Amino acid sequence: MLQIYTGNGKGKTTASLGLAIRAVGAGKRVGIIYFDKGGETHYSERAVLRERFAGEITIVPTGLDRIDPVTNEFRFGVTEADRQEAHRGLQMAREWIASQQFDLIILDEINSTVALGMLTIEEVLAVVRARPSELELVLTGRDAPEAFTELADLFTEMTLVKHYFYDSVPARAGFDY
Ligand code: ATP
Ligand code: MG
């Protein structure tokens, strides 16, 4: 099945991680490609996945580190280097899908990567369409394009009702990253 988690509310990446753990519990092989989220230090789940789920979950982060190591500021905008990294991630997805080495593949933040113009809708659709019927494929990230909705078997939109971020609570290790 093709599952899409999108919307402005919190819960897209964490929902996909919950699914990954459930899949491991059922003996399935899981691969996760992170788009536009390079850098090891800002995402607490990465070391856990690598070290404690070795052999069960394979992760590949792509994208440049958007958080400045000195100022801790988030970098907005899209550069040629961001586009190249997005294409590296998509190429990896293409190879993983063709090789049939995984039962579940999660392309985290690929929706927003398309929405921001780092990948085109068409090139992602071509990869998605080429999946074998046995593969469970999950696409996460805000602003999933219309064309993805049509193809999806499951489409969940996380609705922002409240988020502590708007009460000036900064992102917290272990809960937000
Ligand atoms: P999570 O990884 O917690 O499941 P997410 O994948 O749904 O979140 P992203 O768009 O990837 O959300 O953003 C990741 C970070 O942004 C998390 O720290 C999350 O708490 C925060 N966040 C999510 N939604 C919002 C929002 N509407 N406003 C501000 N921050 C948000
Ligand atoms: Mg996310």
Side-chain angles (χ1 to χ4, degrees), residues 7-15 37 45 108-109 140-142 158 160 163-166 171-172 175-177:
N8 288 330
K10 172 175 164 66
K12 301 170 289 291
T13 296
T14 46
K37 291 228 168 126
E45 64 266 32
D108 186 61
E109 216 66 69
T140 88
R142 290 159 196 235
M158 310 295 179
L160 171 68
H163 194 303
Y164 40 72
F165 175 80
Y166 299 101
R172 297 166 303 154
F175 303 114
D176 297 301
Y177 63 89

Side-chain angles (χ1 to χ4, degrees), residues 34-95:
Y34 289 97
F35 286 82
D36 200 37
K37 291 228 168 126
E40 276 304 302
T41 48
H42 329 295
Y43 309 101
S44 306
E45 64 266 32
R46 291 195 185 164
V48 168
L49 293 173
R50 228 179 243 121
E51 289 155 24
R52 303 203 211 155
F53 288 89
E56 295 168 309
I57 301 179
T58 304
I59 69 165
V60 173
T62 69
L64 302 176
D65 197 336
R66 284 194 173 264
I67 299 163
D68 189 291
V70 178
T71 62
N72 238 4
E73 299 266 310
F74 190 88
R75 175 180 61 88
F76 291 94
V78 172
T79 65
E80 189 46 41
D82 291 320
R83 279 194 198 91
Q84 274 178 19
E85 274 295 289
H87 283 91
R88 182 169 74 85
L90 189 65
Q91 179 56 24
M92 179 128 300
R94 198 177 280 124
E95 288 166 16

Side-chain angles (χ1 to χ4, degrees), residues 6-162:
T6 192
N8 288 330
K10 172 175 164 66
K12 301 170 289 291
T13 296
T14 46
S16 71
L17 291 171
L19 190 71
I21 291 171
R22 177 178 285 166
V24 168
K28 296 188 187 298
R29 304 154 304 168
V30 179
I32 305 175
I33 300 172
Y34 289 97
F35 286 82
D36 200 37
K37 291 228 168 126
E40 276 304 302
T41 48
H42 329 295
Y43 309 101
S44 306
E45 64 266 32
R46 291 195 185 164
V48 168
L49 293 173
R50 228 179 243 121
E51 289 155 24
R52 303 203 211 155
F53 288 89
E56 295 168 309
I57 301 179
T58 304
I59 69 165
V60 173
T62 69
L64 302 176
D65 197 336
R66 284 194 173 264
I67 299 163
D68 189 291
V70 178
T71 62
N72 238 4
E73 299 266 310
F74 190 88
R75 175 180 61 88
F76 291 94
V78 172
T79 65
E80 189 46 41
D82 291 320
R83 279 194 198 91
Q84 274 178 19
E85 274 295 289
H87 283 91
R88 182 169 74 85
L90 189 65
Q91 179 56 24
M92 179 128 300
R94 198 177 280 124
E95 288 166 16
W96 279 9
I97 289 170
S99 72
Q100 309 205 1
Q101 58 182 310
F102 297 110
D103 304 300
L104 166 64
I105 294 179
I106 296 165
L107 305 180
D108 186 61
E109 216 66 69
I110 194 166
N111 298 332
S112 29
T113 299
V114 171
L116 291 170
M118 286 176 258
L119 297 170
T120 67
I121 293 174
E122 291 70 28
E123 63 193 342
V124 174
L125 280 181
V127 172
V128 168
R129 284 209 185 92
R131 75 196 185 283
S133 59
E134 312 81 51
L135 176 72
E136 195 80 10
L137 184 61
V138 177
L139 313 181
T140 88
R142 290 159 196 235
D143 305 316
E146 268 313 288
F148 289 12
T149 320
E150 284 159 32
L151 215 59
D153 300 294
L154 178 149
F155 190 101
T156 296
E157 186 156 21
M158 310 295 179
T159 306
L160 171 68
V161 177
K162 279 181 142 186

